Amino acid sequence: MEPNGETKEDKHICLNCRSYLEILKDIAELSQAEMDLLKKPKRVFMFNVPLKMDSGETKLLNGYRVQYNDALGPCKGGIRFHQEVNLEEVKMLAFLMALKCALLSLPFGGAKGGLEIDPTHLSKNELERISRNFIRATHNFIGPDWDIPAPDVNTNEQIMAWMVDEYSNIKGKFVPSVITGKPVELGGSAGRQTATAMGGAFILKRLIEKLKLKPHNLKVAIQGFGNVGMNLAKILHNWGYKITAISNQNGALTNPKGLDIEELIKNNQTNNQPLKLENIELVHNRELLASECDILIPAAISHQITKENAADIKAKIILEMANAPVTTQAEKILQEKGITIIPDILANAGGVVVSYFEWLQNSSNDYWTEEKVFRKLEEKMDKAFDAVQKLAEEKNQDFRTASHILAVQRIISAEKLRGNL
Ligand code: NAD
């Protein structure tokens, strides 16, 4: 889930995605036919969704569902409600989902859906009506073996609950596996809320082991203290890392000796308030990025590490939990400094992996403990990391390029086997 409703984010992600495809063309030796296939979504649905307001007025809203690629299995991707949703953006986000699912070896293709509306001013009843109407408009082309939606910007587990209920009403039976990100009572998976952070932590653990480093010798700075940043701080602190800097949109707290994470969480239950910790002064955000640390974890918003501040970064490892936190120009500077970047497509894929587990549990009616969910998550994240590292070494490429090559190769290979190329 990507709960921060900034579509500016997505323009950055889309731009990165597009430019990577061009870079890959030569490195992965893609033919023109393969490039054409990757550049075009398989299916695009556009529809009107009526919303009857509490006032009695009816609005007709633009809805989209893009099934970008389904070579590896049913399409998978969120539904977002946002006033700036548009078809081009939905297409690129669906492509990104296809790459992410392929990289993590999930038996899924990629999709994304959107509704052009600002839901923040809707009443609860209006939100329920529009969620149900979205399913009435799409039920013929989604389904557990076809296309499985999930939450995204401005959609949450309550909306997924209404959607699964509406789909089940139409089909005349309970079909929990049509949608993931549901409340646990309706078939949601244990561990889903912390899945993205846990996935990133497992990737970092794998990297650290390979580098023969020990957590207690490592200083970590985390930008962002929301769902991802806060949970990751908690996990890494429990694993013995020293968290020396944390920020949110109001500023940063730093202490080279380590911050008291339990106290910080206790003091900062409300996201986006200035962070509070006794005897530590709130400083400007930029100080976090330039702080003395071994691992820097951007977990806030996109394009935070730019050509202006990249030279100041002292970390040796950057774990991209936010989407597209490093600009292309900054990446060149970081590479020259020898900094290892674990790309977003790999680092923040824990959420979609646990979505896959949710779908599996719904399909088999066998529900797992949180312990089992995280054990299986670690296996998936380790496998993806190892494959990326192997390819990076073989091709003498960075982790980002290797991740994209691997994802694209898997999609192309499935398309070839199906006879589509
Ligand atoms: P969130 O809204 O819960 O938290 C975002 C945090 O970033 C907040 O603490 C906010 O104050 C902080 N922030 C905003 N601007 C900042 C700035 N300029 N400097 C420092 N901090 C700033 O969001 P989240 O769910 O934690 O997601 C964080 C990032 O991870 C986003 O880029 C999101 O797209 C990505 N992501 C999240 C998930 C997920 O499962 N939640 C999955 C994949 C990717």
Side-chain angles (χ1 to χ4, degrees), residues 1-4 9 100 193 196 223-229 247-251 271-272 285 299-302 304 321-323 348-349 351:
M1 180 169 52
E2 291 147 25
N4 54 331
E9 301 291 286
K100 211 178 250 191
Q193 297 291 351
T196 302
Q223 185 193 46
F225 203 58
N227 174 287
V228 176
S247 67
N248 74 0
Q249 62 190 25
N250 303 295
N271 197 3
N272 296 335
N285 256 320
I301 51 173
S302 66
Q304 289 302 293
M321 295 307 291
N323 285 316
N348 71 24

